[in-house]
Amino acid sequence: MRADARKNYDHLLEIGRDVVAEQGADASMRDVARRAGVGIGTLYRHFPTREALLEALLRGSFDRVTAGAAELAARHDSGAALLAWLRDMVALTHSHRGVIAAMTSAIAAPESALHASCVALRASGAQLLARAQADGKARADIDGTDLLALVSALAWLNDQPPFAERVDRLLDVVARAIMV
Amino acid sequence: MRADARKNYDHLLEIGRDVVAEQGADASMRDVARRAGVGIGTLYRHFPTREALLEALLRGSFDRVTAGAAELAARHDSGAALLAWLRDMVALTHSHRGVIAAMTSAIAAPESALHASCVALRASGAQLLARAQADGKARADIDGTDLLALVSALAWLNDQPPFAERVDRLLDVVARAIMV
DNA sequence: ACCTGAACACCGTTCAAGT
DNA sequence: ACCTGAACACCGTTCAAGT
């Protein structure tokens, strides 16, 4: 990558982070380019789809949660680890309004730039779930996708102003439903 | 209302129903007017906001669920009635993609055309919840807004293709969490 | 190799002009 | 009283022309 291109890429990412934080995952692409002081074509050259930009913005957080799952498994008993992962997931999406919808549709779209990260997240949760199930601490009739669905639903509530303040409590309610 | 206006109103409602069924709650207003063979200004005259159109489209279904709650209370024990109401709510939103997000923001916006219907829906659920709580069949530490949050979250899952097929089962999981 | 911005095909919403 | 559609201020996305 040429030096000027690298500079544009990095700057777009930085500005993109601000704009998505302000406006959510459906932020105006034009606005990102404008604020970055760059032609709209330059944005599309570096990030050919909105999901490509989101993926670049979120990769770090995604990886942190995925990697954190292994750590949780090492440090806590299977029930506590699963609960902590659920909290991590809700927190991850809390800081990025609207991202959960993008993640959800990425799960069903193998060509999406977000697909791999989402599958990895699901796998990290599925592993904690399996361990809890083996210990008899989680109900046996749900799978990793069910777990992702439930945590996505809670994350969505977190994006809805009238419900956001209740999500911590509702997470406990749902967790107890999973925990047998 | 003048006869020609009445005709336009009814026709817009009919076409609006089709378009929202096809494209969801964020359907193109322009498209509704276009397909109804009417100027865009005429659509805005009859339905000054998108929510006004949605409200007119959904009022009937809303009232049916609200009224149905009283019937459920009369016909079933408190636990079964609450569960049936949860199913009614998910079914209501299932037939109208994206409507749940509109309902959710309407709860927090008293000036929204959808506000009254949503408050009535919440109240109908809250009543069934209170009855079940009095019978010791539902946990005492949740309220009507929590119930609406949980059912909204499930309804949102119903709009997400990768999760939609699991919602019936996940409803049971969540219901068991509520039911003590 | 990369950047630019005009161009295209759309939006939601308003409002002056018409009947 | 009601209808119309041009007008305004936006989008996302593409691509020919430039450096």
Side-chain angles (χ1 to χ4, degrees):
Chain A
M1 191 137 95
R2 231 164 60 178
D4 56 343
R6 166 100 265 158
K7 216 183 101 190
N8 278 335
Y9 181 93
D10 291 343
H11 193 216
L12 279 167
L13 215 50
E14 190 182 348
I15 299 292
R17 206 174 293 281
D18 295 348
V19 175
V20 167
E22 280 172 33
Q23 306 178 16
D26 56 347
S28 161
M29 293 287 110
R30 268 188 136 93
D31 208 33
V32 173
R34 208 153 34 210
R35 286 214 227 171
V38 127
I40 182 70
T42 302
L43 172 57
Y44 276 95
R45 157 166 271 260
H46 288 299
F47 305 102
T49 65
R50 157 180 255 105
E51 300 206 314
L53 177 59
L54 290 176
E55 198 273 338
L57 288 177
L58 298 168
R59 200 179 320 164
S61 309
F62 281 172
D63 291 351
R64 235 167 289 135
V65 173
T66 303
E71 224 174 304
L72 288 170
R75 278 221 239 286
H76 301 87
D77 75 279
S78 60
L82 181 54
L83 188 61
W85 182 84
L86 289 172
R87 288 194 211 284
D88 282 353
M89 284 294 287
V90 172
L92 165 64
T93 51
H94 190 36
S95 43
H96 302 280
R97 186 162 32 105
V99 157
I100 190 64
M103 286 181 53
T104 292
S105 63
I107 277 279
E111 77 284 4
S112 162
L114 282 167
H115 184 74
S117 308
C118 294
V119 169
L121 274 176
R122 179 179 58 186
S124 76
Q127 214 168 340
L128 294 177
L129 174 64
R131 223 170 54 107
Q133 285 170 329
D135 286 0
K137 292 197 175 162
R139 51 192 298 166
D141 63 345
I142 62 172
D143 63 16
T145 300
D146 291 328
L147 190 69
L148 188 65
L150 289 171
V151 87
S152 299
L154 289 165
W156 178 80
L157 285 179
N158 227 342
D159 279 352
Q160 311 305 312
F163 300 137
E165 47 167 3
R166 311 169 105 89
V167 167
D168 284 347
R169 221 157 29 74
L170 292 174
L171 173 60
D172 284 340
V173 173
V174 170
R176 248 179 234 118
I178 295 171
M179 292 305 186
V180 169
Chain B
M1 190 137 98
R2 231 165 61 179
D4 56 342
R6 166 100 266 158
K7 217 184 102 190
N8 277 335
Y9 180 94
D10 292 342
H11 193 216
L12 279 166
L13 216 50
E14 190 183 350
I15 300 292
R17 206 173 292 281
D18 295 348
V19 175
V20 167
E22 280 173 33
Q23 305 179 18
D26 56 347
S28 161
M29 291 289 109
R30 269 189 136 91
D31 209 31
V32 173
R34 208 153 34 211
R35 287 214 227 169
V38 129
I40 181 72
T42 302
L43 172 58
Y44 276 93
R45 157 166 270 260
H46 289 298
F47 306 101
T49 65
R50 160 181 253 103
E51 299 205 315
L53 177 59
L54 290 176
E55 197 273 338
L57 288 176
L58 298 168
R59 199 178 322 162
S61 309
F62 282 173
D63 291 351
R64 236 168 287 136
V65 172
T66 303
E71 225 175 305
L72 287 170
R75 277 222 240 287
H76 302 86
D77 75 282
S78 60
L82 182 54
L83 187 62
W85 183 84
L86 290 171
R87 288 194 210 285
D88 282 353
M89 285 293 287
V90 173
L92 166 64
T93 51
H94 190 36
S95 42
H96 302 279
R97 188 164 28 107
V99 157
I100 190 64
M103 287 181 52
T104 292
S105 62
I107 277 280
E111 77 285 2
S112 162
L114 282 166
H115 185 72
S117 307
C118 294
V119 170
L121 274 176
R122 179 179 59 186
S124 76
Q127 213 169 338
L128 293 177
L129 175 63
R131 223 169 55 107
Q133 286 170 328
D135 286 359
K137 292 198 174 161
R139 50 193 299 166
D141 63 346
I142 63 173
D143 63 15
T145 300
D146 291 329
L147 191 69
L148 188 64
L150 289 172
V151 88
S152 298
L154 288 165
W156 179 79
L157 285 178
N158 228 341
D159 278 352
Q160 311 304 312
F163 300 137
E165 46 167 6
R166 310 170 106 90
V167 167
D168 283 347
R169 219 156 31 74
L170 293 174
L171 171 61
D172 284 339
V173 173
V174 171
R176 247 178 235 119
I178 296 171
M179 291 305 185
V180 169

